[in-house]
Amino acid sequence: MTMLRAERIDVVLHGRAIVSDASVTLRPGELTALVGPNGAGKTTLMRALAGLLPANGSIRLKDRPLADFTLRERARSIAYLPQGNVFHWPLDVAAVVALGRHPHADPFSPLTGTDRAAVAHALAAAQIEDLAERIVTTLSGGERARVALARVLATEADILFADEPTASLDPRHQLVVMDLLRGIARRGGAVLAIIHDLGLAARFADRVLVMQRGRIVADAAPREALSDARLADVFGIAVAQVDSGDGVMPVPLRPV
C-alpha cells in the first residue's frame, strides 16, 4: 500500500529547472528522510508533492490524482510543516495549535470535543503543555518550532511533510522531535522530513532519499543511501561511520 506516489516530477521556476525526473513513494509506517546539499531542490520537491507548486508528472494521493482532491480534502490528508516558524499574530499557543483543526470544520465554528482532544494530544506530543497559555510571539525560536510542529500534529493527517523540523532546536529537542516523527510513522502514518543532520537521518529514518542538483540519486536504507562514496560525491565530505547502537551513523570529518 502507498499513501502517495509521485513519478517523473519536474518543477520549473522562473525558467529554471529546479527538480528533474524525481519519483517518490511514501508508504504507511515509514519515516523517510530527504537529504542533500543547499540548493539541491529538496523544499521545492516537497512543496510540489504537497500540491503547493505546479509540477509536471504524476502525483497520486491514496491512489487518486492529487489534483482531484479539494483543498480541504488535501489539507486533511497532508499536513505540511514549512521552514521558518514565523508567527505574526499575538495568539496564545493553544489557539495557534487549534489552527491545525481548520481542515476538519468551518473555521468560524467553535472547537468540538474531538478538536479539543486533538489539540491536547498535539501539545503533549510536542512537550509544550506548559506553554499553552503563552503568547506565541514571545517564545524562543526553539519553542516556536515545537508550536509549529504541534499545529500540524493537530490536523491528524495521514501524511506529514516536515521541512527541517529540527532546525533551531537544542540537541535534546532534536531527539524528541525525531522520535515523535518516527512514532507517527510507527502508528501507520507516512512521514517525509527534510533533514540536514545526516546522523539524525541515519539513526531515525527507515529510508533516505538523497538529492543532488534537482535529481534523486539514492532511495535506500540509511546505510546504503549514506555511504562514504555517495557522501563524498554529493556533499563533498569525508565521514566516519559510527555504530551508535541504533545503527551506523555518518560523522562528517573534513571536506574533500
Side-chain angles (χ1 to χ4, degrees):
M1 176 184 176
T2 61
M3 290 280 196
L4 183 143
R5 184 186 301 277
E7 297 178 330
R8 310 291 300 269
I9 301 302
D10 296 320
V11 181
V12 177
L13 298 177
H14 309 296
R16 178 170 169 254
I18 308 298
V19 175
S20 301
D21 198 29
S23 295
V24 176
T25 299
L26 300 181
R27 292 180 282 266
E30 286 188 346
L31 167 55
T32 303
L34 178 58
V35 307
N38 293 336
K42 302 182 298 296
T43 294
T44 299
L45 174 60
M46 179 174 280
R47 288 174 57 81
L49 296 177
L52 301 175
L53 285 177
N56 294 320
S58 170
I59 303 176
R60 297 183 70 84
L61 173 60
K62 300 176 183 177
D63 209 31
R64 286 173 53 196
L66 184 64
D68 288 357
F69 286 75
T70 67
L71 291 177
R72 185 177 291 274
E73 287 174 332
R74 190 184 305 169
R76 286 196 293 264
S77 296
I78 300 174
Y80 174 64
L81 176 64
Q83 298 179 27
N85 311 309
V86 177
F87 298 100
H88 298 287
W89 299 98
L91 300 174
D92 66 55
V93 165
V96 171
V97 175
L99 295 175
R101 299 301 299 169
H102 282 185
H104 296 276
D106 181 334
F108 299 104
S109 300
L111 294 178
T112 66
T114 300
D115 294 329
R116 288 190 291 272
V119 169
H121 181 267
L123 289 167
Q127 297 188 0
I128 55 171
E129 300 114 308
D130 59 327
L131 302 179
E133 297 181 3
R134 292 273 302 276
I135 300 301
V136 69
T137 51
T138 68
L139 302 180
S140 70
E143 289 169 333
R144 290 197 301 271
R146 286 186 285 145
V147 173
L149 177 60
R151 180 176 61 190
V152 299
L153 294 178
T155 305
E156 297 183 318
D158 294 325
I159 299 172
L160 173 59
F161 289 157
D163 193 345
E164 298 188 38
T166 59
S168 78
L169 296 180
D170 60 51
R172 178 180 182 276
H173 285 106
Q174 289 180 9
L175 296 172
V176 167
V177 167
M178 292 304 299
D179 195 54
L180 175 60
L181 296 179
R182 184 166 58 181
I184 292 169
R186 294 294 179 267
R187 291 189 293 275
V191 181
L192 178 66
I194 295 174
I195 305 293
H196 274 293
D197 187 315
L198 299 176
L200 290 177
R203 179 177 175 185
F204 286 93
D206 300 292
R207 290 166 48 229
V208 176
L209 306 180
V210 182
M211 287 195 76
Q212 182 180 31
R213 294 188 291 273
R215 294 180 177 272
I216 294 176
V217 297
D219 178 355
R223 190 163 189 171
E224 179 183 347
L226 302 176
S227 66
D228 292 11
R230 182 163 289 113
L231 295 180
D233 178 56
V234 173
F235 289 91
I237 57 173
V239 301
Q241 299 284 356
V242 177
D243 190 343
S244 69
D246 289 329
V248 175
M249 303 188 304
V251 177
L253 296 178
R254 60 184 181 276
V256 296

PDB file of all heavy atoms in Angstrom, residues 97-115:
ATOM      1  N   VAL A  97      -2.151  26.173  17.917  1.00  0.00           N
ATOM      2  CA  VAL A  97      -2.218  24.729  17.649  1.00  0.00           C
ATOM      3  C   VAL A  97      -3.601  24.352  17.131  1.00  0.00           C
ATOM      4  O   VAL A  97      -3.739  23.507  16.241  1.00  0.00           O
ATOM      5  CB  VAL A  97      -1.848  23.937  18.907  1.00  0.00           C
ATOM      6  CG1 VAL A  97      -2.026  22.427  18.686  1.00  0.00           C
ATOM      7  CG2 VAL A  97      -0.410  24.239  19.318  1.00  0.00           C
ATOM      8  N   ALA A  98      -4.634  25.005  17.645  1.00  0.00           N
ATOM      9  CA  ALA A  98      -6.004  24.721  17.196  1.00  0.00           C
ATOM     10  C   ALA A  98      -6.219  25.066  15.729  1.00  0.00           C
ATOM     11  O   ALA A  98      -7.153  24.531  15.101  1.00  0.00           O
ATOM     12  CB  ALA A  98      -7.004  25.474  18.062  1.00  0.00           C
ATOM     13  N   LEU A  99      -5.373  25.919  15.150  1.00  0.00           N
ATOM     14  CA  LEU A  99      -5.497  26.226  13.721  1.00  0.00           C
ATOM     15  C   LEU A  99      -5.331  24.968  12.876  1.00  0.00           C
ATOM     16  O   LEU A  99      -5.830  24.896  11.750  1.00  0.00           O
ATOM     17  CB  LEU A  99      -4.457  27.269  13.314  1.00  0.00           C
ATOM     18  CG  LEU A  99      -4.600  28.664  13.931  1.00  0.00           C
ATOM     19  CD1 LEU A  99      -3.420  29.540  13.528  1.00  0.00           C
ATOM     20  CD2 LEU A  99      -5.914  29.304  13.511  1.00  0.00           C
ATOM     21  N   GLY A 100      -4.634  23.974  13.415  1.00  0.00           N
ATOM     22  CA  GLY A 100      -4.479  22.724  12.700  1.00  0.00           C
ATOM     23  C   GLY A 100      -5.776  21.959  12.504  1.00  0.00           C
ATOM     24  O   GLY A 100      -5.831  21.016  11.700  1.00  0.00           O
ATOM     25  N   ARG A 101      -6.822  22.337  13.200  1.00  0.00           N
ATOM     26  CA  ARG A 101      -8.112  21.659  13.071  1.00  0.00           C
ATOM     27  C   ARG A 101      -8.995  22.267  11.988  1.00  0.00           C
ATOM     28  O   ARG A 101     -10.047  21.706  11.667  1.00  0.00           O
ATOM     29  CB  ARG A 101      -8.857  21.701  14.415  1.00  0.00           C
ATOM     30  CG  ARG A 101      -8.141  21.016  15.555  1.00  0.00           C
ATOM     31  CD  ARG A 101      -7.883  19.559  15.254  1.00  0.00           C
ATOM     32  NE  ARG A 101      -9.117  18.809  15.049  1.00  0.00           N
ATOM     33  CZ  ARG A 101      -9.154  17.570  14.577  1.00  0.00           C
ATOM     34  NH1 ARG A 101      -8.038  16.933  14.246  1.00  0.00           N
ATOM     35  NH2 ARG A 101     -10.316  16.941  14.420  1.00  0.00           N
ATOM     36  N   HIS A 102      -8.601  23.375  11.382  1.00  0.00           N
ATOM     37  CA  HIS A 102      -9.455  24.052  10.408  1.00  0.00           C
ATOM     38  C   HIS A 102      -9.840  23.192   9.214  1.00  0.00           C
ATOM     39  O   HIS A 102     -10.945  23.345   8.689  1.00  0.00           O
ATOM     40  CB  HIS A 102      -8.804  25.355   9.945  1.00  0.00           C
ATOM     41  CG  HIS A 102      -8.957  26.467  10.942  1.00  0.00           C
ATOM     42  ND1 HIS A 102      -8.535  27.752  10.705  1.00  0.00           N
ATOM     43  CD2 HIS A 102      -9.489  26.480  12.188  1.00  0.00           C
ATOM     44  CE1 HIS A 102      -8.790  28.500  11.759  1.00  0.00           C
ATOM     45  NE2 HIS A 102      -9.366  27.753  12.670  1.00  0.00           N
ATOM     46  N   PRO A 103      -8.982  22.277   8.729  1.00  0.00           N
ATOM     47  CA  PRO A 103      -9.436  21.447   7.611  1.00  0.00           C
ATOM     48  C   PRO A 103     -10.625  20.546   7.932  1.00  0.00           C
ATOM     49  O   PRO A 103     -11.266  20.018   7.022  1.00  0.00           O
ATOM     50  CB  PRO A 103      -8.196  20.592   7.285  1.00  0.00           C
ATOM     51  CG  PRO A 103      -7.043  21.381   7.783  1.00  0.00           C
ATOM     52  CD  PRO A 103      -7.545  22.059   9.019  1.00  0.00           C
ATOM     53  N   HIS A 104     -10.933  20.375   9.222  1.00  0.00           N
ATOM     54  CA  HIS A 104     -11.990  19.444   9.615  1.00  0.00           C
ATOM     55  C   HIS A 104     -13.334  20.123   9.825  1.00  0.00           C
ATOM     56  O   HIS A 104     -14.340  19.441  10.050  1.00  0.00           O
ATOM     57  CB  HIS A 104     -11.587  18.722  10.907  1.00  0.00           C
ATOM     58  CG  HIS A 104     -10.375  17.862  10.738  1.00  0.00           C
ATOM     59  ND1 HIS A 104     -10.442  16.576  10.257  1.00  0.00           N
ATOM     60  CD2 HIS A 104      -9.054  18.116  10.953  1.00  0.00           C
ATOM     61  CE1 HIS A 104      -9.220  16.060  10.193  1.00  0.00           C
ATOM     62  NE2 HIS A 104      -8.364  16.979  10.614  1.00  0.00           N
ATOM     63  N   ALA A 105     -13.381  21.461   9.793  1.00  0.00           N
ATOM     64  CA  ALA A 105     -14.644  22.136  10.107  1.00  0.00           C
ATOM     65  C   ALA A 105     -14.627  23.544   9.550  1.00  0.00           C
ATOM     66  O   ALA A 105     -13.600  24.038   9.065  1.00  0.00           O
ATOM     67  CB  ALA A 105     -14.868  22.176  11.621  1.00  0.00           C
ATOM     68  N   ASP A 106     -15.771  24.200   9.623  1.00  0.00           N
ATOM     69  CA  ASP A 106     -15.871  25.613   9.289  1.00  0.00           C
ATOM     70  C   ASP A 106     -14.959  26.387  10.234  1.00  0.00           C
ATOM     71  O   ASP A 106     -15.066  26.248  11.459  1.00  0.00           O
ATOM     72  CB  ASP A 106     -17.318  26.059   9.482  1.00  0.00           C
ATOM     73  CG  ASP A 106     -17.550  27.519   9.131  1.00  0.00           C
ATOM     74  OD1 ASP A 106     -16.593  28.318   9.206  1.00  0.00           O
ATOM     75  OD2 ASP A 106     -18.692  27.856   8.776  1.00  0.00           O
ATOM     76  N   PRO A 107     -14.033  27.221   9.694  1.00  0.00           N
ATOM     77  CA  PRO A 107     -13.093  27.927  10.581  1.00  0.00           C
ATOM     78  C   PRO A 107     -13.755  28.881  11.556  1.00  0.00           C
ATOM     79  O   PRO A 107     -13.122  29.317  12.519  1.00  0.00           O
ATOM     80  CB  PRO A 107     -12.178  28.669   9.596  1.00  0.00           C
ATOM     81  CG  PRO A 107     -12.945  28.741   8.314  1.00  0.00           C
ATOM     82  CD  PRO A 107     -13.783  27.513   8.274  1.00  0.00           C
ATOM     83  N   PHE A 108     -15.027  29.207  11.325  1.00  0.00           N
ATOM     84  CA  PHE A 108     -15.715  30.130  12.231  1.00  0.00           C
ATOM     85  C   PHE A 108     -16.556  29.401  13.277  1.00  0.00           C
ATOM     86  O   PHE A 108     -17.207  30.035  14.105  1.00  0.00           O
ATOM     87  CB  PHE A 108     -16.603  31.096  11.423  1.00  0.00           C
ATOM     88  CG  PHE A 108     -15.823  31.932  10.453  1.00  0.00           C
ATOM     89  CD1 PHE A 108     -15.841  31.632   9.100  1.00  0.00           C
ATOM     90  CD2 PHE A 108     -15.047  32.997  10.885  1.00  0.00           C
ATOM     91  CE1 PHE A 108     -15.121  32.383   8.192  1.00  0.00           C
ATOM     92  CE2 PHE A 108     -14.309  33.749   9.989  1.00  0.00           C
ATOM     93  CZ  PHE A 108     -14.346  33.448   8.641  1.00  0.00           C
ATOM     94  N   SER A 109     -16.522  28.071  13.236  1.00  0.00           N
ATOM     95  CA  SER A 109     -17.267  27.277  14.224  1.00  0.00           C
ATOM     96  C   SER A 109     -16.410  27.059  15.458  1.00  0.00           C
ATOM     97  O   SER A 109     -15.181  27.024  15.373  1.00  0.00           O
ATOM     98  CB  SER A 109     -17.663  25.923  13.631  1.00  0.00           C
ATOM     99  OG  SER A 109     -18.485  26.096  12.494  1.00  0.00           O
ATOM    100  N   PRO A 110     -17.030  26.904  16.621  1.00  0.00           N
ATOM    101  CA  PRO A 110     -16.250  26.610  17.831  1.00  0.00           C
ATOM    102  C   PRO A 110     -15.651  25.214  17.762  1.00  0.00           C
ATOM    103  O   PRO A 110     -16.122  24.348  17.024  1.00  0.00           O
ATOM    104  CB  PRO A 110     -17.297  26.716  18.948  1.00  0.00           C
ATOM    105  CG  PRO A 110     -18.605  26.453  18.281  1.00  0.00           C
ATOM    106  CD  PRO A 110     -18.479  27.018  16.892  1.00  0.00           C
ATOM    107  N   LEU A 111     -14.602  25.006  18.545  1.00  0.00           N
ATOM    108  CA  LEU A 111     -13.969  23.701  18.592  1.00  0.00           C
ATOM    109  C   LEU A 111     -14.913  22.664  19.184  1.00  0.00           C
ATOM    110  O   LEU A 111     -15.632  22.933  20.148  1.00  0.00           O
ATOM    111  CB  LEU A 111     -12.702  23.760  19.445  1.00  0.00           C
ATOM    112  CG  LEU A 111     -11.539  24.603  18.932  1.00  0.00           C
ATOM    113  CD1 LEU A 111     -10.392  24.565  19.934  1.00  0.00           C
ATOM    114  CD2 LEU A 111     -11.073  24.134  17.566  1.00  0.00           C
ATOM    115  N   THR A 112     -14.902  21.479  18.608  1.00  0.00           N
ATOM    116  CA  THR A 112     -15.678  20.367  19.144  1.00  0.00           C
ATOM    117  C   THR A 112     -14.843  19.629  20.182  1.00  0.00           C
ATOM    118  O   THR A 112     -13.649  19.901  20.372  1.00  0.00           O
ATOM    119  CB  THR A 112     -16.064  19.390  18.025  1.00  0.00           C
ATOM    120  OG1 THR A 112     -14.862  18.776  17.522  1.00  0.00           O
ATOM    121  CG2 THR A 112     -16.790  20.101  16.891  1.00  0.00           C
ATOM    122  N   GLY A 113     -15.451  18.668  20.858  1.00  0.00           N
ATOM    123  CA  GLY A 113     -14.707  17.846  21.795  1.00  0.00           C
ATOM    124  C   GLY A 113     -13.573  17.097  21.108  1.00  0.00           C
ATOM    125  O   GLY A 113     -12.472  16.952  21.668  1.00  0.00           O
ATOM    126  N   THR A 114     -13.827  16.631  19.888  1.00  0.00           N
ATOM    127  CA  THR A 114     -12.783  15.940  19.117  1.00  0.00           C
ATOM    128  C   THR A 114     -11.626  16.878  18.822  1.00  0.00           C
ATOM    129  O   THR A 114     -10.452  16.490  18.916  1.00  0.00           O
ATOM    130  CB  THR A 114     -13.372  15.385  17.813  1.00  0.00           C
ATOM    131  OG1 THR A 114     -14.419  14.450  18.116  1.00  0.00           O
ATOM    132  CG2 THR A 114     -12.300  14.700  16.971  1.00  0.00           C
ATOM    133  N   ASP A 115     -11.966  18.113  18.452  1.00  0.00           N
ATOM    134  CA  ASP A 115     -10.921  19.104  18.179  1.00  0.00           C
ATOM    135  C   ASP A 115     -10.079  19.372  19.423  1.00  0.00           C
ATOM    136  O   ASP A 115      -8.842  19.407  19.359  1.00  0.00           O
ATOM    137  CB  ASP A 115     -11.538  20.427  17.706  1.00  0.00           C
ATOM    138  CG  ASP A 115     -12.237  20.318  16.362  1.00  0.00           C
ATOM    139  OD1 ASP A 115     -11.804  19.496  15.534  1.00  0.00           O
ATOM    140  OD2 ASP A 115     -13.216  21.058  16.158  1.00  0.00           O
TER     141      ASP A 115
END
